[in-house]
Amino acid sequence: MLIERPPKLFRKLFPGVLFRMPDSGMLPGTVYLTFDDGPIPEATPWVLEVLDRFDIKATFFMVGDNARRYPELVDKVKKAGHKIANHSFHHIRGLHINKQDYMSDVELCEEITETKLFRPPHGYMTPSQLKALKRKYKIVMFDLVTRDYSKRVNAEVVVRNIKKYSRDGSIIVFHDSLKSIEKLKIALPDSLSYLQERGFRFGLL
């Protein structure tokens, strides 16, 4: 649970950062799908097809270098009505880089994605990085991490995480990446079917 739903103590480390959207006031509520680390031809087109089949929109936190290499996929995401967001240019770890270089990498991604919506790779920023980021960006973290990227987790566990932790306002993290795609082929349709059957609505950040 410490990974799937970040505890309150972890959330307090990042004041002013969005972990969960406000309650919609409707049951069971609204969830917000996000996909990290793309776009790549091995995963993103398939994810878009599934989202289109379910008539759901999502937010794609793109790695700038991938967006630079595959501009046609960026356009495809936009044309499908999804939102594009910044996930840094090189998918950098905040703990391993100084504030100036970190911000330069994020700003380089912004030049391609043209968005002020940002999610830190690996879900962490240093205090100085957080302070600098908040001056320029709306920072989005997560309320539910599916763990679709983990070698220790299979598709059934990903779906189980969706069933256990989804709630009104949840910002849910999937990945359109090589690490996740084989599990997503089972887990994404099953997860979306479950959420729709339960009556959840789907919002855009």
Side-chain angles (χ1 to χ4, degrees), residues 33 35 46-47 50-51 53-54 56 144-150 153-163 166 172-175 179-196 202:
L33 298 183
F35 292 84
W46 181 86
V47 169
V50 173
L51 293 174
R53 189 193 321 158
F54 283 86
I56 292 170
L144 195 173
V145 179
T146 62
R147 298 191 69 199
D148 57 345
Y149 57 85
S150 175
V153 167
N154 59 27
E156 289 72 25
V157 174
V158 173
V159 177
R160 191 185 312 153
N161 288 335
I162 287 289
K163 292 180 177 181
S166 294
I172 301 173
V173 180
F174 288 101
H175 295 76
K179 289 182 179 180
S180 302
I181 185 59
E182 291 307 315
K183 277 172 276 192
L184 279 187
K185 288 178 180 179
I186 297 172
L188 185 59
D190 286 357
S191 296
L192 299 184
S193 292
Y194 168 82
L195 291 167
Q196 285 191 335
F202 295 85

Side-chain angles (χ1 to χ4, degrees), residues 120-134:
H122 310 285
Y124 193 83
M125 304 155 283
T126 66
S128 63
Q129 291 163 358
L130 173 61
K131 185 176 180 180
L133 285 164
K134 285 168 68 175

Side-chain angles (χ1 to χ4, degrees), residues 9-42:
L9 181 61
F10 179 80
R11 298 174 192 234
K12 287 182 178 179
L13 294 174
F14 307 103
V17 169
L18 184 63
F19 279 90
R20 181 185 177 195
M21 296 292 279
D23 289 350
S24 66
M26 305 174 72
L27 293 177
T30 302
V31 295
Y32 300 80
L33 298 183
T34 68
F35 292 84
D36 287 5
D37 297 357
I40 58 169
E42 297 87 348

Side-chain angles (χ1 to χ4, degrees), residues 57-145:
K57 303 304 180 187
T59 302
F60 286 77
F61 285 86
M62 295 186 173
V63 173
D65 195 34
N66 288 342
R68 176 190 61 81
R69 286 188 289 167
Y70 305 113
E72 71 283 359
L73 291 181
V74 178
D75 290 340
K76 192 170 185 178
V77 171
K78 289 180 179 178
K79 288 177 181 177
H82 305 288
K83 184 173 283 189
I84 289 175
N86 185 331
H87 201 42
S88 83
F89 192 85
H90 293 105
H91 201 258
I92 51 176
R93 290 182 181 269
L95 292 177
H96 298 165
I97 189 170
N98 63 48
K99 180 184 71 175
Q100 290 76 18
D101 290 342
Y102 188 94
M103 290 301 298
S104 294
D105 198 89
V106 173
E107 289 163 358
L108 185 59
C109 183
E110 183 190 351
E111 292 179 10
I112 296 174
T113 57
E114 299 180 331
T115 174
K116 296 294 185 181
L117 204 61
F118 173 74
R119 173 176 286 156
H122 310 285
Y124 193 83
M125 304 155 283
T126 66
S128 63
Q129 291 163 358
L130 173 61
K131 185 176 180 180
L133 285 164
K134 285 168 68 175
R135 296 191 189 106
K136 291 193 64 175
Y137 301 97
K138 179 179 180 180
I139 306 171
V140 179
M141 295 288 264
F142 34 77
D143 184 58
L144 195 173
V145 179

